[in-house]
Amino acid sequence: MKTATETVPFRNLSLVPAQDATDDIRLSATRSLQSGMAAMRELTAAFEGDLGEAFERAVLTIVQAKGRVIVCGVGKSGHIGRKLSATLASTGTHAFFVHPTEASHGDLGMIAPDDVIIALSWSGETAELGDVVSFSRRFSIPLIAITSKPDSTLGRAADVLLALPRVRESCPYDLAPTSSTLIQLALGDALAVALIEKRGFTSAGFKVLHPGGKLAARLKNVQQLMHDGSEVPLVRDDTVMSEALIVIASRRYGCCGVTDADGRLVGIVTDGDLRRHMGPALLNTPVRDVMTADPIIVEPDLLASSALGLMNRKRITALFVTSERRPVGILHIHDLLRAGVA
């Protein structure tokens, strides 16, 4: 039981900075960022040596494995490991995180002989990883180690050693994992990106694995969002403008497409065309004399995000969708905004 004189150490610390401490706070942030950038430069330089060769072997080991990638780590390395496993899983590499402590109490059964284990430990001496390392050796499961100490227990046991440079933490006491976790995270992301490229993982794969949220909207294609059938405003090139105006007004896209006798899209009539040809004779003028020829078109399989980019560059609000130059739909910028593409 505490006596009246006992205090918890941090309770006497002032949590409210003085007004004149603002500059010190900003300098602290700047020093932290500079420390992180210095650590990243050291990591990049390490790829010119043994790390680069080991990284290649790690990627090939994962690609050639018939099973999954099992990621393990404790503490801050564990948090980085969870992020790594999630990134791998979302980019075409079957992966999941196994906590080393839980592994010692039955979760080793989640690891199969065809799997690959990635173990993260800055010191390489994390006691909780012992059973996972022993299990990998006993059943000849490839072990990839991410550590800063090649001569550690983990480093010596690994089949592939990704040795991180010994960087100084941005913590003023060189204690709290900061710069070290940053380069662990960066190396994990580099591993995931290399696997994306090695496997040929495409945006179509992203679409399958990311069915929800804004990313899913960006990965939709034009065909999924366009209007088709009777909703597409179309007139023949010999139609008079009085009839074309009725079509434009009834469809509410602010335009209509113009087709030739073979059904190919040859032009578009927009409000700009109407302004340029406004006059007493407009209503009886053939559409071919008013339209803008060779309008901007897109294919049905174009990504919705690419269609939005095209609209922004060309400063237009609608696109006709064609297949072999024949109109199959129309896409309005409001369709993209409603779908969350922007």
Side-chain angles (χ1 to χ4, degrees):
M1 183 174 179
K2 290 185 177 65
T3 65
T5 59
E6 288 181 310
T7 59
V8 177
F10 58 77
R11 284 186 181 168
N12 290 331
L13 297 178
S14 173
L15 300 180
V16 182
Q19 276 189 317
D20 60 357
T22 303
D23 289 343
D24 290 340
I25 293 173
R26 293 178 182 176
L27 286 172
S28 173
T30 301
R31 285 194 300 269
S32 178
L33 293 172
Q34 289 174 339
S35 178
M37 289 188 288
M40 288 295 294
R41 285 193 292 270
E42 290 190 48
L43 177 63
T44 302
F47 269 84
E48 300 299 324
D50 293 340
L51 180 58
E53 182 182 344
F55 186 86
E56 292 178 0
R57 287 191 284 117
V59 170
L60 293 176
T61 298
I62 294 172
V63 169
Q64 293 166 4
K66 296 179 181 179
R68 305 147 303 173
V69 175
I70 312 300
V71 185
C72 298
V74 176
K76 303 302 183 292
S77 293
H79 293 307
I80 300 300
R82 288 183 185 277
K83 194 274 181 186
L84 172 56
S85 66
T87 301
L88 290 174
S90 68
T91 53
T93 297
H94 300 301
F96 63 92
F97 182 83
V98 173
H99 195 285
T101 301
E102 298 298 335
S104 298
H105 294 275
D107 282 3
L108 283 173
M110 302 172 72
I111 306 173
D114 289 335
D115 294 339
V116 175
I117 297 174
I118 299 178
L120 296 91
S121 171
W122 184 249
S123 68
E125 298 294 347
T126 304
E128 293 89 340
L129 282 171
D131 288 335
V132 173
V133 172
S134 297
F135 188 80
S136 73
R137 304 303 80 192
R138 178 182 176 186
F139 294 101
S140 300
I141 301 172
L143 175 64
I144 300 171
I146 299 178
T147 180
S148 67
K149 293 189 176 181
D151 293 332
S152 62
T153 302
L154 177 60
R156 292 194 305 271
D159 297 297
V160 181
L161 171 62
L162 299 178
L164 297 170
R166 291 287 297 174
V167 297
R168 178 178 174 79
E169 304 291 4
S170 59
C171 162
Y173 310 111
D174 194 23
L175 294 174
T178 44
S179 299
S180 59
T181 51
L182 175 64
I183 62 173
Q184 281 182 315
L185 180 65
L187 182 65
D189 285 344
L191 192 61
V193 171
L195 287 165
I196 289 174
E197 296 175 353
K198 186 67 177 177
R199 294 185 189 278
F201 189 73
T202 65
S203 59
F206 272 102
K207 181 179 176 182
V208 172
L209 299 178
H210 299 78
K214 198 171 189 68
L215 180 58
R218 291 179 58 196
L219 292 173
K220 288 182 181 294
N221 59 34
V222 167
Q223 188 169 21
Q224 293 175 287
L225 300 176
M226 72 182 190
H227 302 271
D228 56 12
S230 61
E231 294 186 70
V232 184
L234 295 171
V235 296
R236 282 277 300 275
D237 56 0
D238 56 356
T239 304
V240 294
M241 282 301 301
S242 58
E243 296 179 18
L245 287 171
I246 294 174
V247 173
I248 293 173
S250 64
R251 300 299 192 276
R252 299 181 181 179
Y253 300 115
C255 65
C256 71
V258 182
T259 59
D260 62 13
D262 295 323
R264 291 186 294 268
L265 188 72
V266 293
I268 185 173
V269 177
T270 67
D271 56 353
D273 296 311
L274 296 179
R275 289 193 298 271
R276 284 187 289 273
H277 292 83
M278 188 62 67
L282 175 63
L283 296 180
N284 294 319
T285 302
V287 169
R288 67 169 70 91
D289 296 336
V290 176
M291 71 180 192
T292 296
D294 297 322
I296 300 168
I297 57 175
V298 294
E299 295 291 321
D301 58 355
L302 182 72
L303 283 177
S305 56
S306 297
L308 178 61
L310 179 61
M311 287 183 180
N312 286 332
R313 289 193 302 274
K314 299 297 184 180
R315 298 183 179 182
I316 56 178
T317 59
L319 284 169
F320 277 93
V321 187
T322 64
S323 177
E324 296 181 352
R325 202 66 193 187
R326 287 177 168 76
V328 295
I330 186 171
L331 181 70
H332 196 275
I333 194 167
H334 290 165
D335 302 320
L336 299 169
L337 297 177
R338 279 193 293 268
V341 176

